[in-house]
Amino acid sequence: MPAFCRLAENGLALFVRLTPRSARDAIEGTAETADGRCHLKARVRAVPENGKANAALEKLLAKQIGVPSSAVSVAGGATSRLKTVEIRGDRGELLIRLRAIAAGQ
């Protein structure tokens, strides 16, 4: 299992570092924090006001992974750059898609 995710009740939980107000919406691979925690790097054009950046992140991840937007939700870190995002679905299929996304960046 990639270090940027863990098993969740109905799917997977991802650790994401979000940069709002970017020039484009994109997932830019993986990185590590100073304390050694691994996460996906993501950028969105939306501003971090009234949950707009979180909603844009959910939409971006849903599109990239190929799941409905309703299957993706920010579960932790709503006002932080480091977020926990839960994705509901078949764990095996989600892992295959996440590995492809992380490797292709």
Side-chain angles (χ1 to χ4, degrees):
M1 177 163 310
F4 59 83
C5 70
R6 63 178 159 83
L7 296 177
E9 187 174 329
N10 295 318
L12 297 175
L14 306 180
F15 305 111
V16 180
R17 183 177 190 281
L18 180 63
T19 302
R21 291 190 188 125
S22 180
R24 62 191 175 97
D25 293 343
I27 297 174
E28 298 183 327
T30 61
E32 249 183 58
T33 58
D35 61 3
R37 292 181 295 164
C38 189
H39 57 269
L40 279 177
K41 295 187 303 182
R43 295 181 172 276
V44 294
R45 292 185 298 249
V47 296
E49 297 169 1
N50 301 321
K52 291 178 184 176
N54 289 339
L57 173 63
E58 292 169 352
K59 184 177 176 183
L60 172 66
L61 286 171
K63 182 178 178 184
Q64 291 284 318
I65 296 169
V67 298
S69 295
S70 61
V72 181
S73 61
V74 173
T79 58
S80 170
R81 285 185 182 254
L82 292 173
K83 302 180 182 300
T84 302
V85 180
E86 288 188 357
I87 302 174
R88 291 175 298 287
D90 178 76
R91 292 175 180 164
E93 186 64 32
L94 291 173
L95 280 172
I96 290 168
R97 292 176 186 178
L98 285 171
R99 284 186 177 120
I101 290 168
Q105 303 301 319

